[in-house]
Amino acid sequence: MVMDTTLSDPMVGRLLEGRYTVEAFVARGGMAAVYLATDTRLDRRVAVKVLRSELSDDPMVVARFEREARAAAQLSHPDVVAVYDQGSDNGNAFLVMEFVPGANLREVLRDRGRLKTGEAITVMDHVLAALSAAHAAGLVHRDVKPENVLIAPDGRVKVADFGLARAVAGSTVTTAGSVLFGTAHYFAPERFDDESADARSDVYSAGVLFFELLTGATPFTAENNMALLKRYSSEDIPAPSSRASGIPPQIDALVGWATSRDPSQRPVDAAELHASLLDVRDKLGLHERVPALPSQLTAPLLAAATVASSDVTQHMPGGRPPAAGAPAVARPRRPRRRRRGLIISVILLLVVAAAAIGGWWFAAGRYTNAPSVVGLSKSAADAKLKAAGLHWRWLPPVHSLTTTAGLVAVETNGGRVTHGSTVDLALSSGPRTHPLPPVAGYTVDHATTVLKNLDISVAHTTREFSTEVRKGLVLATKPGENKVEKEGSSVTLVISKGLQHVAIPTVNHLSQQDATTALQQAGFQIGAPIQRFSSTVPNGTVISSTPPQGKVVVKGRTVSLIVSQGPKLFAVPNVEGDSVGDAVHAIKAAGFTPDPEQFAPDGPGTVFRETPTGMQQRGTKITLDWF
């Protein structure tokens, strides 16, 4: 962590509330500064965050600062920077926190560029564990970003500023007349619309942070914060694998899930995303350590950064000068001999010949052309090179898209070579093969890129209806997922047409069995039948359906049949032996139609027979015989 320890800072050297001795400036944010201090009461190093003086004059900001500090102090978790105390000294509101030596993630990313996938997962494991604890306690961080994730030299990961972004925040985004606390690159789209923040907003910010750890950069850039927020509000976060190599599709899916622009499509809180992250980590076997801090970030916190310069003296190699050479010894002069013209002529001819031969040898004679053996079998290549007077060496086989397996794919040192040279050869093992990755739910461009990275192209696209994948996204590949394909091959992408809508077929007045068959053939599920009495539809016949026939609905939904039980029957009262007047009244009261018939004019007026009896439909005519 880079620090400015200048003594000009008025806070350095102060004793806050008679307890905290401010020793050095550490960092400054948009609305607060952080100092290294000593708690004189407990004799321990702490970090003190001091609210800027102009904000300390605002009682509403201070009150919220204190309220959030108390809330954050209730949060106890090994991955959270602990809050010890809060107070005010001479009008300066301050917060006392756990001191974590080391560096923040921003400094690590500046040094490393990006993290390995396993390292990024390990860091996010700690970040999401901290956010999960906060969400369970009812706290929303609101400012998840690399600057708020600290890494200690011993590998501890700590998330800072829990719950405080509502009161103090650096690099804030403002709208007319109000302040939206948070950092633009990590700002959830819904907060730009209504300024609200909940656990899903933190999940979005964590997803952007994960993207940055994997790729070394944030998803979007823009000229200013407002333009940047509009990009985040209108564009989907790209898959990390489109920006950096070696990122599995499962990681792309996690980032895409966390950064959905629709909050309802994200994990409900950090705990749900954390559980999925650990599941993917275990399945992929990506168990890495926390990234080691660069050496320049692990120096003692208060060590002054000095550059020592020293005289550099270059020493020439020692040794005595070479001894002077001995004087030449005079030799007796040989007697001069006569040179004969013939000898001189022969010598001149030999010299000229030797020069000509040497020139030819060095210019052309020592070279030969190595024949091309690419595409030949091993035995044929051996024979051809042997005939050319060359040596050869076989290297391990290589994958090739253009050369059939078992034939020569690589020939080095070919062309013009010296006699007896060695040519390196390698046989083709054919193209690489890859199991087709899962691409369901990807955009067409993203799926095409994933396949292209495996040297597999998209030759065709088709469209099919789907109840599971949104319209316009990839439904599957043909051949299907995990089917092994060679590099250079092509596949067909199946694109979702979304839900299929069809009309419910005519089923009224069909038997229950025939109606069920018609609905199943049309692609509908059959719900439990609904039984109803009907005086017009025979028993076992369909009265109607719900939804009704002819209504256009999503294919595959459940349709229930309303089936007739026939008319509802009621018991005919027994009136035999009753007076005809009482009998007529009882039959009417039961909902039937009385039909009295007299058999003898001078009888007692008593009913001696009724028909029909038992269970009958209401309104049925009941004949009453009386005398």
Side-chain angles (χ1 to χ4, degrees):
M1 182 178 294
V2 178
M3 299 186 306
D4 178 2
T5 57
T6 58
L7 298 177
S8 60
D9 192 317
M11 290 301 299
V12 176
R14 288 184 56 177
L15 183 64
L16 301 180
E17 287 192 339
R19 177 173 179 177
Y20 303 105
T21 301
V22 180
E23 298 178 356
F25 170 82
V26 175
R28 190 180 307 280
M31 294 186 180
V34 179
Y35 297 88
L36 175 66
T38 296
D39 181 347
T40 58
R41 187 177 302 171
L42 298 178
D43 191 25
R44 67 178 174 184
R45 286 286 177 85
V46 294
V48 175
K49 174 172 281 190
V50 181
L51 197 62
R52 281 170 47 178
S53 57
E54 60 268 32
L55 293 176
S56 294
D57 294 335
D58 187 333
M60 292 185 63
V61 173
V62 173
R64 191 170 192 178
F65 181 82
E66 294 174 350
R67 184 170 63 252
E68 297 294 344
R70 286 193 295 271
Q74 302 301 314
L75 185 59
S76 177
H77 191 275
D79 293 324
V80 174
V81 174
V83 176
Y84 296 145
D85 193 7
Q86 62 86 23
S88 178
D89 186 278
N90 196 25
N92 296 113
F94 66 87
L95 179 69
V96 182
M97 302 176 296
E98 174 187 5
F99 169 63
V100 182
N104 62 44
L105 264 184
R106 175 65 64 213
E107 294 166 309
V108 174
L109 288 173
R110 285 195 190 105
D111 183 83
R112 292 279 298 276
R114 72 183 182 102
L115 304 185
K116 295 188 292 186
T117 301
E119 291 176 334
I121 290 174
T122 300
V123 171
M124 291 305 299
D125 175 15
H126 292 281
V127 171
L128 292 175
L131 291 176
S132 299
H135 294 167
L139 289 177
V140 178
H141 192 289
R142 295 189 176 215
D143 200 16
V144 178
K145 59 184 178 181
E147 288 80 357
N148 284 336
V149 180
L150 309 180
I151 298 181
D154 60 3
R156 288 176 298 143
V157 177
K158 295 274 188 175
V159 179
D161 280 357
F162 264 95
L164 301 180
R166 298 172 183 172
V168 290
S171 303
T172 57
V173 180
T174 61
T175 60
S178 64
V179 178
L180 299 180
F181 293 105
T183 305
H185 279 289
Y186 311 92
F187 211 71
E190 67 272 12
R191 295 184 61 195
F192 181 59
D193 296 330
D194 59 15
E195 305 182 25
S196 64
D198 58 15
R200 297 171 300 178
S201 306
D202 280 353
V203 167
Y204 183 92
S205 301
V208 176
L209 173 62
F210 197 10
F211 180 98
E212 186 174 7
L213 297 183
L214 292 164
T215 66
T218 49
F220 302 125
T221 59
E223 295 179 354
N224 54 57
N225 278 343
M226 296 306 293
L228 189 63
L229 285 171
K230 288 181 180 178
R231 288 200 69 181
Y232 278 94
S233 297
S234 60
E235 299 179 39
D236 290 331
I237 301 296
S241 64
S242 68
R243 300 281 183 88
S245 61
I247 299 175
Q250 295 91 330
I251 301 299
D252 283 344
L254 273 182
V255 173
W257 184 31
T259 58
S260 172
R261 285 183 286 152
D262 181 356
S264 66
Q265 298 301 313
R266 295 179 211 146
V268 294
D269 57 18
E272 185 176 7
L273 180 60
H274 189 208
S276 296
L277 176 78
L278 298 184
D279 183 59
V280 169
R281 179 199 66 184
D282 294 341
K283 288 180 179 178
L284 297 177
L286 293 174
H287 296 271
E288 295 269 0
R289 294 177 179 270
V290 172
L293 295 182
S295 58
Q296 69 269 26
L297 300 181
T298 57
L301 187 65
L302 295 179
T306 61
V307 179
S309 62
S310 59
D311 293 334
V312 178
T313 304
Q314 294 182 341
H315 298 280
M316 299 301 294
R320 293 177 299 173
V329 178
R331 298 181 180 179
R333 180 176 292 181
R334 295 180 181 178
R336 183 178 295 174
R337 299 179 179 178
R338 286 187 173 183
R339 296 174 179 170
R340 297 178 182 178
L342 180 60
I343 296 175
I344 294 174
S345 299
V346 171
I347 292 173
L348 289 175
L349 287 174
L350 291 175
V351 170
V352 170
I357 294 172
W360 169 81
W361 173 256
F362 283 102
R366 63 178 179 152
Y367 291 104
T368 185
N369 286 319
S372 174
V373 295
V374 173
L376 299 183
S377 66
K378 186 175 186 297
S379 58
D382 290 343
K384 195 168 185 179
L385 291 172
K386 183 177 181 180
L390 298 174
H391 303 286
W392 59 95
R393 177 176 55 192
W394 287 100
L395 302 178
V398 296
H399 292 288
S400 174
L401 294 176
T402 57
T403 305
T404 304
L407 302 182
V408 178
V410 175
E411 178 181 7
T412 62
N413 304 328
R416 195 171 185 233
V417 297
T418 58
H419 287 280
S421 293
T422 298
V423 177
D424 289 335
L425 305 173
L427 294 175
S428 169
S429 60
R432 288 184 178 87
T433 59
H434 301 284
L436 290 177
V439 294
Y442 287 14
T443 63
V444 174
D445 287 345
H446 184 194
T448 301
T449 300
V450 169
L451 293 168
K452 184 178 179 181
N453 290 338
L454 303 177
D455 285 322
I456 296 173
S457 62
V458 175
H460 305 285
T461 59
T462 61
R463 295 181 179 272
E464 295 180 7
F465 291 106
S466 172
T467 60
E468 299 177 353
V469 177
R470 196 173 69 222
K471 182 179 180 181
L473 299 182
V474 174
L475 181 59
T477 56
K478 290 184 178 179
E481 178 182 334
N482 292 324
K483 173 70 175 179
V484 176
E485 289 293 310
K486 296 178 180 179
E487 287 183 346
S489 62
S490 60
V491 299
T492 297
L493 281 186
V494 182
I495 303 171
S496 172
K497 293 167 63 175
L499 300 173
Q500 183 179 5
H501 291 76
V502 295
I504 294 178
T506 299
V507 293
N508 294 4
H509 304 296
L510 295 179
S511 68
Q512 181 177 347
Q513 182 58 51
D514 289 346
T516 298
T517 301
L519 289 171
Q520 289 175 335
Q521 290 176 346
F524 294 100
Q525 302 293 321
I526 308 300
I530 301 171
Q531 302 289 336
R532 289 185 182 173
F533 292 105
S534 174
S535 59
T536 58
V537 179
N539 182 30
T541 302
V542 174
I543 301 172
S544 62
S545 63
T546 179
Q549 64 184 27
K551 184 175 179 61
V552 177
V553 296
V554 175
K555 184 177 181 179
R557 71 166 293 175
T558 299
V559 178
S560 295
L561 294 173
I562 301 173
V563 181
S564 173
Q565 291 180 283
K568 187 174 183 179
L569 302 179
F570 298 88
V572 177
N574 183 6
V575 295
E576 290 182 3
D578 293 351
S579 67
V580 65
D582 291 342
V584 168
H585 182 269
I587 294 299
K588 283 183 177 181
F592 302 101
T593 301
D595 182 21
E597 292 187 8
Q598 185 178 11
F599 275 76
D602 297 324
T606 301
V607 174
F608 66 89
R609 182 172 58 212
E610 63 177 313
T611 55
T613 59
M615 303 297 291
Q616 301 294 332
Q617 183 180 351
R618 276 182 173 165
T620 300
K621 182 172 70 173
I622 307 299
T623 302
L624 303 175
D625 295 333
W626 64 281
F627 57 86

